[in-house]
């Protein structure tokens, strides 16, 4: 496993005119972010499932694993050709699908599961969005453009009107989930609010001074995909066997997690070198609100709402417009 920041790599690759087609069938470079939302990838890596399915097709696949924080860096690395597959929330994927429509044609490969993200606060006066003021600061991984910011913009448009969907962008601060969690729990910093994700939101809620304002499930109308994997049309078309092996590996990993939740929790701790207590991680994996599935759920809510407020120029007719066809074998929405 090679965990490294690819920001410098992205710049070098772009300058050198590196492209995703620079390597032949049988190699895949994958990047994930941090947290239990990437458990399917942890299982794939731990059990070497891509290599397993590659061998079934007569291909020895070289898999390179990388870790990056933030959707912006992910998207830049993908377009520069420094990565073959990246992972982020549904909104960042849709933004890239929209921007590359008719060119690189970036599309989603699979969901990494449905799980709620909680908007948390340590300010006792903040019970609803209407209570937030210029004195509050909202921590998100990618202010204005990431999953949490886009989800907040959708709810803001509903509450305050479409023209005011960016109301909270000016009090949003880009901060990683681990750092934001520490800031929220410790208090005393400018961070009074955090749009969090598992497992960090559950850690924060163990503190008596932290409370939940709302859940992404409240905004989206129920269980909804959190993160997705995506790539370019060229990688998909030029590496059919590798792509198939990767997709099959994801399906098996999701099945493994559903059937072996305690073992899956141990895999997360081992692969991500987490210091969280095993019991705590197992509780999250077993949470009925969380579903580790490759099938997209309510992803079209983002496609529809983000187009409605003007973030996306292209209107998708259905979820199949921004997923590659291999995903059609699974149910989706």
């Amino acid at each position: 496993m090679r965990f490294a920041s690819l920001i410098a790599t992205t710049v070098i690759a772009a300058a050198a005119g590196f492209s995703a087609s620079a390597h032949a069938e049988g190699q895949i470079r994958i990047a994930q972010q941090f947290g239990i939302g990437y458990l399917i990838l942890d299982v794939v890596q731990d059990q070497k499932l891509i290599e397993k399915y590659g061998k079934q097709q007569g291909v020895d696949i070289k898999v390179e694993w990388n870790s990056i924080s933030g959707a912006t860096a992910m998207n830049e690395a993908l377009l520069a050709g420094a990565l073959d597959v990246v992972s982020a929330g549904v909104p960042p994927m849709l933004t890239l699908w929209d921007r590359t429509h008719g060119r690189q044609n970036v599309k989603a490969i699979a969901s990494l599961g449905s799980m709620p993200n909680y908007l948390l606060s340590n300010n006792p006066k903040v019970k609803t969005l209407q209570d937030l003021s210029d004195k509050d600061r909202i921590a998100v991984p990618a202010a204005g453009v990431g999953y949490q910011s886009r989800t907040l913009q959708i709810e803001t448009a509903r509450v305050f009107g479409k023209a005011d969907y960016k109301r909270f962008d000016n009090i949003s601060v880009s901060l990683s989930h681990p750092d934001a969690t520490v800031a929220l729990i410790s208090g005393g910093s400018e961070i009074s609010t955090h749009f969090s994700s598992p497992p960090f939101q559950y850690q924060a809620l163990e503190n008596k001074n932290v409370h939940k304002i709302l859940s992404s499930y409240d905004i989206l109308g129920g269980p909804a995909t959190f993160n997705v994997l995506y790539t370019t049309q060229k990688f998909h078309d030029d590496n059919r066997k590798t792509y198939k092996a990767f997709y099959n590996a994801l399906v098996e990993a999701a099945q493994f997690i559903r059937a072996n939740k305690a073992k899956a929790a141990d895999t997360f701790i081992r692969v991500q070198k987490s210091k969280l207590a095993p019991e705590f991680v197992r509780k999250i994996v077993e949470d009925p609100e969380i579903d580790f599935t490759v099938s997209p759920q309510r992803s079209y809510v983002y496609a529809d709402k983000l187009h409605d407020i003007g973030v996306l120029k292209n209107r998708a007719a259905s979820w199949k417009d921004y997923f590659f066809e291999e995903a059609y074998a699974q149910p989706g929405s």
Side-chain angles (χ1 to χ4, degrees):
M1 178 177 74
R2 183 173 72 87
F3 282 109
S5 170
L6 284 187
I7 295 177
T9 305
T10 301
V11 174
I12 293 170
F18 190 88
S19 82
S21 61
H23 62 77
E25 174 91 80
Q27 180 179 342
I28 185 169
R29 299 162 299 170
I30 307 164
Q32 68 184 82
Q33 299 188 55
F34 305 96
I36 206 160
Y38 299 89
L39 179 57
I40 287 178
L41 289 180
D42 293 336
V43 172
V44 168
Q45 179 182 338
D46 189 59
Q47 298 185 14
K48 298 187 181 301
L49 296 180
I50 301 172
E51 294 88 337
K52 167 188 166 181
Y53 282 103
K55 285 184 173 65
Q56 290 182 8
Q57 298 182 84
V59 180
D60 288 323
I61 300 176
K62 178 183 177 183
V63 184
E64 182 181 296
W65 295 93
N66 299 276
S67 185
I68 300 178
S69 180
T72 301
M74 284 280 188
N75 288 351
E76 289 175 353
L78 180 65
L79 294 181
L83 290 169
D84 301 313
V85 174
V86 298
S87 51
V90 175
M93 177 276 294
L94 284 169
T95 298
L96 208 56
W97 165 77
D98 187 58
R99 283 175 50 198
T100 64
H101 192 67
R103 297 189 296 276
Q104 296 100 324
N105 290 323
V106 170
K107 292 183 181 181
I109 298 167
S111 164
L112 285 174
S114 296
M115 55 187 62
N117 279 221
Y118 295 163
L119 182 64
L120 308 174
S121 180
N122 61 13
N123 183 347
K125 296 180 180 180
V126 176
K127 302 295 184 183
T128 68
L129 286 187
Q130 290 94 327
D131 298 326
L132 288 167
S133 72
D134 290 343
K135 295 180 180 179
D136 293 292
R137 290 295 179 269
I138 306 169
V140 290
V145 297
Y147 173 91
Q148 287 78 13
S149 279
R150 293 303 191 196
T151 305
L152 183 58
Q153 287 170 357
I154 289 173
E155 181 65 3
T156 303
R158 186 189 71 80
V159 175
F160 297 99
K162 188 165 60 174
D164 203 17
Y165 80 92
K166 289 186 176 182
R167 169 186 283 253
F168 298 117
D169 284 14
N170 64 336
I171 62 169
S172 295
V173 178
S174 293
L175 199 63
S176 70
H177 284 311
D179 290 341
T181 302
V182 171
L184 199 68
I185 292 174
S186 61
S189 75
E190 67 171 1
I191 303 300
S192 61
T193 311
H194 176 204
F195 210 143
S196 190
S197 71
F200 309 105
Q201 61 197 26
Y202 302 112
Q203 288 178 276
L205 284 170
E206 291 187 337
N207 185 283
K208 64 180 182 179
N209 295 321
V210 177
H211 63 276
K212 181 174 72 171
I213 299 172
L214 56 79
S215 165
S216 60
Y217 282 8
D218 300 330
I219 299 170
L220 301 169
T225 295
F226 175 26
N227 292 319
V228 290
L229 293 156
Y230 48 107
T231 189
T232 61
Q233 184 82 49
K234 185 169 183 59
F235 181 80
H236 171 273
D237 293 350
D238 290 354
N239 301 274
R240 290 286 185 173
K241 291 182 178 180
T242 301
Y243 187 97
K244 182 179 179 181
F246 181 49
Y247 188 79
N248 288 341
L250 296 170
V251 173
E252 180 173 330
Q255 293 170 343
F256 173 84
I257 294 169
R258 287 185 172 186
N260 304 275
K261 293 187 175 181
K263 290 182 179 178
D266 292 340
T267 298
F268 167 79
I269 293 171
R270 183 170 58 255
V271 174
Q272 297 208 17
K273 296 181 173 60
S274 174
K275 295 181 181 179
L276 294 173
E279 302 79 24
F280 182 75
V281 177
R282 287 170 193 156
K283 182 180 178 181
I284 296 172
V285 175
E286 293 170 357
D287 188 329
E289 278 198 313
I290 296 176
D291 183 11
F292 292 97
T293 174
V294 297
S295 300
Q297 293 181 306
R298 289 185 171 82
S299 69
Y300 187 72
V301 175
Y302 283 109
D304 181 48
K305 297 299 183 183
L306 292 179
H307 179 271
D308 187 48
I309 62 177
V311 172
L312 302 178
K313 294 181 180 179
N314 294 287
R315 178 179 288 280
S318 78
W319 68 273
K320 293 182 179 180
D321 283 358
Y322 47 84
F323 270 83
F324 285 111
E325 59 266 22
E326 286 78 4
Y328 302 172
Q330 308 292 331
S333 62

